[in-house]
Amino acid sequence: MSATSAQPQPTEPQPAEPRSKALRAAFRGFAAIEKIGNRLLHPFWLFWILAAVVAVLSAVLAALGVSAVHPGTDEKIKVLSLLSRDGITMAVEGAVENYAAFPPLATILTVMFGIAVAERSGLFSALLRRMVARVPGRYLTFALSMTAMVSHVAGDAAYVTLIPLGALVYRAAGRSPVLGCVVAYVSISAGYDASPSLTTTDVLLSSISTAAARTIDADHVVTPVANYFFGLASSVLVALVITLVVDKVLARRPDLEPDEPVTALSADELKAIEVTPRQRRALRVTGLVALGYAALLTVAMIPTSSPLRGEHGGIVDSTLIGGTALVLGVFFAVLGTVYGRMTGTFSAARDIVSAMADGTRSMAPILVLFFAISQFLAYFKWTNIGNVLAVSGAETLRDLRLDGWTVLVGIAVLITLMNLLITSGSALWALAAPVFIPMLMLIGIEPETTQAVYRVADSVTNCVTPMSPYFVMALGFVQQYRKSAGIGTLASFTIPIAAVVWVVWIAFFVAWYLLGLPFGIG
């Protein structure tokens, strides 16, 4: 069995009756969420329905003469009807431009070209196996959780690779493989927006945030590294919290044993964990290339006259920061090419092109969704509903005289609940950013701060909602070791971890905000 081919066969989840009344009540709630969520249409259709709502609402508000005064320019902002001649012309003639100009479209594709090369070369799989193999038992949970934080750079492929790998390394250490599956799954999903390295999520969210911020400040740019410092610190924090909850609480559960007694790993299972000498050599050389790449960029940025710097030698507005998507794409493409050639995964230049093409094919569902999101956002912006809502919301918040951190925590609670039903991070942010970012900008809260609190709230409940396809995938892996496991079984592990992570991570965010620490660069 290999780590990448261990995808479970579809099985019908069997209900497991929890002992605790509180857990039974929680599971009934999750069953209701699942039932409601399963009735929701695909996000593609949801955004078209929202676009229709915007059209009708804009016509009504325009007829009523609804408007607001921009506090910065004293300009009167009127709601425009999308059903007017000008509105229909914009929607029809501007459809292609709306899609082509959608900020995340080109940036996410640029990064994915490189990530596809690294993933299909086998680099990510080998790196993850290397990070957790032969780790002393007392550090195993933290090592697996921290590996999951690093694996976010691989995107959704991390689930397929790391969950079965977690079960195997726990078995090799004489521990419950069920717990290994849980640790890997929760670490990937609950900490999805916490990573020690830049990921496609950084590029995607910052693009949406920039578009939202420019409704208030036409020159504002949210860079892909705007939350890097916070994300780096959060990755360690989340891994530590998961480790404490698992090792101090969940590891003491009496029902951790799988259906079959834990036995020594077979030769095939050992092969799935171990990294071959050839792969180890390739990883060492790839690591040196990565250091060389970073050193080259650093040296190139030293002269104040460097073309990679911004105007007047600036760093925040530099070409390097602005071109993060290309820098990341080239970085992963170079590493994947080096590793693939050394291990024999790539034997010719055409293999690299094929890897990029395969990566693009895997992006097809997202590209389809982006078309609907881009049209909805264009309509929302053109009608001025978002601007009027932001100004009115800001005035309400000022009248309430709430502290900034209380507003941000309130938004975190709302996003957390919304994420139970809308599990796509990009879709949810595309829906929330055009309202929250302008509104909070008008009361002095920077877009980078709003994006940071969103990332916390959007991550944690990923591991508890049955609406996530990866919840079902993780359950399938657990059922390989315990056939009677059901949704309730997995949720009884993930709920306590998610609850503690949410409280600690939000408290960490509030402390970071109150101390005035920079969330990142830019």
Side-chain angles (χ1 to χ4, degrees), residues 163-178:
I163 296 176
L165 183 59
L168 291 179
V169 295
Y170 263 62
R171 276 186 59 195
R175 300 181 65 178
S176 169
V178 172

Side-chain angles (χ1 to χ4, degrees), residues 3-7 156-165 470 473 477:
T4 56
S5 63
Q7 182 142 354
D156 295 343
Y159 289 97
V160 181
T161 301
L162 201 58
I163 296 176
L165 183 59
Y470 300 107
M473 175 187 287
F477 283 117

Side-chain angles (χ1 to χ4, degrees), residues 131 138-152 162 170 183-184 186-196 230-248 460 497 500-502 504-505 508:
M131 290 182 69
R138 62 184 299 185
Y139 303 117
L140 182 56
T141 302
F142 179 76
L144 180 57
S145 187
M146 200 64 213
T147 300
M149 302 301 157
V150 175
S151 75
H152 293 147
L162 201 58
Y170 263 62
V183 172
V186 172
S187 299
I188 298 170
S189 55
Y192 196 80
D193 283 333
S195 177
F230 181 71
L232 173 62
S234 294
S235 65
V236 178
L237 174 74
V238 173
L240 284 172
V241 173
I242 291 173
T243 299
L244 289 173
V245 175
V246 169
D247 287 350
K248 300 299 182 182
V460 179
I497 300 175
V500 177
V501 170
W502 195 94
V504 174
W505 203 357
F508 182 68

